[in-house]
Amino acid sequence: KAGVTQTPRYLIKTRGQQVTLSCSPISGHRSVSWYQQTPGQGLQFLFEYFSETQRNKGNFPGRFSGRQFSNSRSEMNVSTLELGDSALYLCASSLDRTYEQYFGPGTRLTVT
Amino acid sequence: DAKTTQPPSMDCAEGRAANLPCNHSTISGNEYVYWYRQIHSQGPQYIIHGLKNNETNEMASLIITEDRKSSTLILPHATLRDTAVYYCIVAGLTGGGNKLTFGTGTQLKVEL
């Protein structure tokens, strides 16, 4: 069974731009969660989508948004990028009602 | 979700058992103990989870004390590839959603 895939793997953007990251979950997994990892803050939960609905949201500004499609694929968008948005963005998929999540390799975003 | 406390770092000789402790004294009756690890620059990897009984799978064993206030993850024969940050997470299924709250974890270094 194929694992979680994330595209692109690396991205360099300029302050003020926006970015869209993509995540394809494991087949059959309907829950997709997004996390941000930085050296200073560690791994932080962004949001979770299940059946195209946002079910949980972390403590991030409204510049961070996401969506999920009917095939469970998910995208997250960050608008008006700031230097502090430089991070590894991780996507994880799972079956419902479990914390057994499977993570992708991440997208490394650098904002200059 | 209950808070967890882990030592920041541990060393282990290759081939020996690695015993990683975790304190979760405020765990409630419906909360599970989950363990993940993250090898440098990769996405976290699910290892094992348990409620109150000891659990074993092909990767590790999880020992939960009878009062459930602490647990130990055991890697029976550690290899260099087990060098990673290990996260102990306590989570319950109330409220729906699959949000994982990561702490700072234990950096395990396996050496020759």
Side-chain angles (χ1 to χ4, degrees), chain B residues 78-89:
Chain B
T79 71
L80 298 178
R81 287 177 295 180
D82 292 321
T83 293
V85 178
Y86 287 77
Y87 297 97
C88 169
I89 300 169

Side-chain angles (χ1 to χ4, degrees), chain A residues 35 37 56 94 97 99 101, chain B residues 36 38 92-93 97-99:
Chain A
Y35 296 83
Q37 187 170 30
N56 262 312
S94 69
R97 305 290 290 168
Y99 293 94
Q101 296 185 6
Chain B
Y36 281 78
Q38 185 174 25
L93 292 177
N98 295 356
K99 171 186 174 182

Side-chain angles (χ1 to χ4, degrees), chain A residues 5 7 21 24 26 31 34 41 47 49 53 55 68 72 75 77 94 99 104 111:
Chain A
T5 58
T7 56
L21 311 181
S24 292
I26 291 172
S31 171
W34 288 89
Q41 299 297 319
F47 30 65
Y49 285 86
T53 301
R55 189 161 63 172
Q68 186 180 34
S72 294
E75 289 180 346
N77 182 276
S94 69
Y99 293 94
V111 182

Side-chain angles (χ1 to χ4, degrees), chain B residues 93-108:
Chain B
L93 292 177
T94 56
N98 295 356
K99 171 186 174 182
L100 283 171
T101 302
F102 288 85
T104 53
T106 296
Q107 172 68 63
L108 175 68

Side-chain angles (χ1 to χ4, degrees), chain B residues 2-63:
Chain B
K3 185 177 169 59
T4 61
T5 304
Q6 299 178 252
S9 64
M10 294 182 65
D11 294 331
C12 179
E14 189 176 35
R16 304 297 293 269
N19 298 290
L20 294 98
C22 179
N23 285 321
H24 32 79
S25 59
T26 61
I27 192 170
S28 61
N30 63 349
E31 290 183 315
Y32 288 74
V33 179
Y34 280 77
W35 283 84
Y36 281 78
R37 73 179 182 183
Q38 185 174 25
I39 296 168
H40 184 62
S41 294
Q42 296 182 21
Q45 178 188 22
Y46 165 82
I47 301 173
I48 198 168
H49 75 278
L51 183 62
K52 54 184 176 182
N53 298 320
N54 298 339
E55 302 287 346
T56 296
N57 63 19
E58 64 279 2
M59 287 184 67
S61 294
L62 174 61
I63 309 297

